[in-house]
Amino acid sequence: LAKTTQPISMDSYEGQEVNITCSHNNIATNDYITWYQQFPSQGPRFIIQGYKTKVTNEVASLFIPADRKSSTLSLPRVSLSDTAVYYCLVGATNTGGFKTIFGAGTRLFVKA
Amino acid sequence: DVKVTQSSRYLVKRTGEKVFLECVQDMDHENMFWYRQDPGLGLRLIYFSYDVKMKEKGDIPEGYSVSREKKERFSLILESASTNQTSMYLCASRGTGVGTVGTFFGQGTRLTVV
């Protein structure tokens, strides 16, 4: 399984764009990149998933360079409610025995 | 929306008790998972199941067992609860297939063993 490396924490202010980068140097050909958000005392919540280039949904954008050895989660105009831990995961989606392994995550703190 | 439901939000059990944590998902997912989450240690995989009656050990299976008799239900069993099993327990499910999007989590069960 590809190991991921993320910053331990980040601070931002309301209204700013936040970019969280994840390194995954040994990503495999079949691996997708998935990001989750977790609030205290809740389970992680799926945010976005991608394989290459750029993916955008109503919550975030995900940028993946051509070599796929890193990815960047972009949160536009963050608010106080975006304060959470963000996890980057890498793995194949088409295998039944797929183990979802979480790293330490990035703790984002949004200030007023 | 996918719904993963854990039977309890909070539980307090005594040392040595047998504890059952139940999880049900409503999206016909093949894969189900049990994690525990502890401060500073992140989420750690205890067991997962990729089909009915099938199970595989995760990273920390000691002291736990699981049961998957029906596709929608995955139970975690603490055979003899100990204080070091005090933790937040999270159940999750995901489908199988190219482009399957995301793993879906329940709200968690905060278990305290006294």
Side-chain angles (χ1 to χ4, degrees):
Chain A
L1 293 169
K3 183 185 174 187
T4 60
T5 303
Q6 305 172 233
I8 293 174
S9 65
M10 295 180 68
D11 288 345
S12 183
Y13 288 93
E14 280 190 295
Q16 288 188 333
E17 178 185 76
V18 171
N19 296 308
I20 306 174
T21 297
C22 179
S23 298
H24 28 80
N25 290 319
N26 58 342
I27 188 170
T29 303
N30 291 338
D31 287 344
Y32 280 69
I33 300 151
T34 313
W35 285 81
Y36 293 83
Q37 175 192 56
Q38 187 179 25
F39 298 111
S41 299
Q42 293 188 24
R45 182 177 73 101
F46 170 84
I47 301 175
I48 197 166
Q49 179 174 295
Y51 184 80
K52 62 181 179 181
T53 62
K54 178 183 175 183
V55 179
T56 297
N57 62 22
E58 63 278 7
V59 176
S61 294
L62 179 60
F63 298 92
I64 305 167
D67 66 6
R68 303 199 328 122
K69 293 184 183 298
S70 67
S71 59
T72 299
L73 174 72
S74 181
L75 305 172
R77 298 179 298 283
V78 294
S79 63
L80 297 176
S81 62
D82 292 317
T83 293
V85 178
Y86 292 83
Y87 295 95
C88 161
L89 275 78
V90 174
T93 66
N94 59 343
T95 55
F98 170 69
K99 294 201 304 183
T100 305
I101 304 293
F102 284 76
T106 298
R107 188 172 298 276
L108 173 65
F109 186 67
V110 180
K111 295 179 265 192
Chain B
D1 280 351
V2 175
K3 193 166 184 183
V4 180
T5 304
Q6 295 183 228
S7 53
S8 304
R9 285 282 276 153
Y10 300 94
L11 274 179
V12 180
K13 296 292 182 180
R14 294 193 179 279
T15 301
E17 276 193 78
K18 190 168 187 177
V19 181
F20 293 86
L21 302 183
E22 307 287 346
C23 175
V24 177
Q25 51 96 0
D26 65 358
M27 280 303 291
D28 202 35
H29 283 167
E30 293 82 2
N31 307 293
M32 295 189 74
F33 308 82
W34 275 105
Y35 296 85
R36 64 177 283 177
Q37 187 171 30
D38 303 287
L41 296 176
L43 279 87
R44 293 180 291 168
L45 181 64
I46 304 171
Y47 267 98
F48 70 102
S49 167
Y50 53 90
D51 202 351
V52 175
K53 296 192 186 294
M54 305 302 290
K55 60 185 179 183
E56 286 200 22
K57 294 179 180 179
D59 298 317
I60 50 163
E62 296 78 20
Y64 304 94
S65 62
V66 290
S67 172
R68 184 117 182 252
E69 295 298 319
K70 293 185 178 181
K71 192 174 186 179
E72 68 271 18
R73 188 179 296 272
F74 192 36
S75 303
L76 179 70
I77 303 153
L78 286 65
E79 298 291 342
S80 177
S82 63
T83 54
N84 63 12
Q85 292 178 309
T86 292
S87 185
M88 168 72 92
Y89 289 87
L90 290 158
C91 174
S93 75
R94 69 178 290 130
T96 299
V98 175
T100 294
V101 178
T103 299
F104 297 89
F105 286 82
Q107 285 291 86
T109 297
R110 186 165 293 282
L111 172 67
T112 302
V113 182
V114 297

